[in-house]
Amino acid sequence: MNKRAIIMGATSGLGKGVALGLLKDGYTIGVAGRRSEELEKIKALAPEMVHTKVIDVIADNAPSLLLELISEMGGMDLYFHSSGYGKQNEALNVEIEKQTVLTNTYGFTQMIDTAFNYYKTTGKSGRIAVISSVAGTKGLGAAPSYSATKRFDWIYIEALAQLAHMQKLDIKFTDIRPGFVETDFIAGSNFPLQMATEYAVKHILRAVLAGKRKATIDWKYKIVCFFWRLLPSCLWERMRITN
C-alpha cells in the first residue's frame, strides 16, 4: 500500500508545494484548507490519489473534519501542518494579533493534538511535521505575535515528542523552520534572503522524507539564527529588524 499524507493548509504556498511534491512521490494525499476551489484544482491533477476537505483550523468542528478525512483515506502515515497566519504589526492592531494567536496556537494545537491522538488510539506509527519559522528564534518587534506564536509551536512539538516517548508511542516529529520564502505570505515585502517557493519546498520534502527532527531552511538561515541566538537581549532590543 502506498503512503498516505494529509496536508493542512494546502491551498497555497509551501503547503500546496509539499502536497504536489508528495503526490509526485506516489503518496495518496488528503488536502485541507479553507478554499474549496483551490483544493479541487489539486484533486483534478489525480482524482484517484487526492482527497479533499474544507477545514478552518480554528473552527470547533476542525478536529472532527480531520478525522473524517483520515477515515476517507483509510488511514494516515504523515500529518503535515502548513496552516499559519501572520503580518508585520508595529501598530499592534488587535485584530491582526488575535487572528495570528488563534491560528498559530489554538488552531495549531487542536490539529496537532487530533493527529497525535489518532496515532495513539489506533496504535499506528506515523509522523507529524509542521511548518514553524526562524521567526521563533527571537522576539521580532515588527511582528510580535507571529514570532511569539512560532516559538510556541517549537516548544509544543518538543513537548509532544517527549510525551510520545513517555507513552511509548511510535510517533515521530519534524519541525521545519523556513526563513523568508517568496509566497503570498510576504508578498510585496523587502525582506532579505528570500527563497523561491520551489527551492524551499524541495528542502522541506527532503527533510521530512529523511525523518529529520528539526530542519532550518536553508543554510543561510542556519548561520543567521546561530548569531541571533548569541546576541544578548540588551543588544537585540536595540536593533531594528523590519521590512
Side-chain angles (χ1 to χ4, degrees):
M1 180 182 292
N2 66 326
K3 294 284 189 177
R4 296 158 296 187
I6 288 178
I7 303 91
M8 186 66 60
T11 57
S12 64
L14 296 177
K16 182 177 181 179
V18 167
L20 297 177
L22 291 172
L23 183 62
K24 183 178 180 181
D25 203 45
Y27 276 72
T28 294
I29 62 171
V31 289
R34 293 184 299 173
R35 292 181 290 170
S36 60
E37 67 278 7
E38 295 301 324
L39 299 177
E40 290 304 318
K41 288 178 184 178
I42 299 175
K43 185 176 180 64
L45 298 174
E48 72 286 356
M49 298 286 285
V50 180
H51 299 257
T52 67
K53 186 72 69 174
V54 175
I55 300 177
D56 181 345
V57 298
I58 67 175
D60 291 341
N61 66 348
S64 61
L65 291 174
L66 175 56
L67 292 175
E68 284 181 16
L69 181 56
I70 295 172
S71 177
E72 290 167 11
M73 293 180 61
M76 176 178 69
D77 302 293
L78 167 66
Y79 174 78
F80 189 94
H81 191 90
S82 184
S83 179
Y85 183 85
K87 292 183 179 180
Q88 288 196 83
N89 190 21
E90 294 183 44
L92 294 182
N93 180 306
V94 172
E95 287 306 311
I96 292 175
E97 300 297 89
K98 177 182 177 181
Q99 186 64 34
T100 304
V101 171
L102 282 174
T103 303
N104 298 351
T105 59
Y106 176 69
F108 176 91
T109 300
Q110 70 169 354
M111 293 292 92
I112 299 301
D113 286 3
T114 302
F116 184 98
N117 286 325
Y118 162 76
Y119 291 129
K120 180 178 179 178
T121 56
T122 61
K124 296 180 179 179
S125 61
R127 179 169 296 277
I128 296 173
V130 306
I131 296 283
S132 60
S133 173
V134 299
T137 307
K138 287 280 192 179
L140 299 175
S145 61
Y146 184 74
S147 55
T149 56
K150 290 305 175 179
R151 176 57 71 94
F152 173 94
D153 296 349
W154 289 15
I155 299 302
Y156 202 83
I157 290 300
E158 183 176 66
L160 290 195
Q162 184 183 76
L163 182 62
H165 180 76
M166 290 165 56
Q167 297 182 350
K168 296 181 171 57
L169 303 173
D170 190 12
I171 307 174
K172 308 300 186 208
F173 296 86
T174 299
D175 178 2
I176 298 161
R177 303 171 182 180
F180 300 125
V181 182
E182 296 171 351
T183 64
D184 293 341
F185 202 63
I186 60 169
S189 73
N190 295 313
F191 287 118
L193 303 177
Q194 291 188 31
M195 297 175 283
T197 302
E198 296 79 8
Y199 175 86
V201 166
K202 178 180 71 174
H203 286 274
I204 290 168
L205 286 168
R206 185 179 299 168
V208 173
L209 297 178
K212 295 282 187 68
R213 171 63 185 82
K214 300 174 186 176
T216 299
I217 312 296
D218 66 349
W219 65 269
K220 296 184 292 295
Y221 282 97
K222 291 181 182 179
I223 296 172
V224 170
C225 291
F226 173 80
F227 285 106
W228 276 4
R229 292 188 186 98
L230 293 179
L231 286 172
S233 294
C234 61
L235 291 180
W236 178 262
E237 291 169 8
R238 285 164 173 77
M239 296 179 68
R240 179 172 178 79
I241 298 179
T242 186
N243 180 16

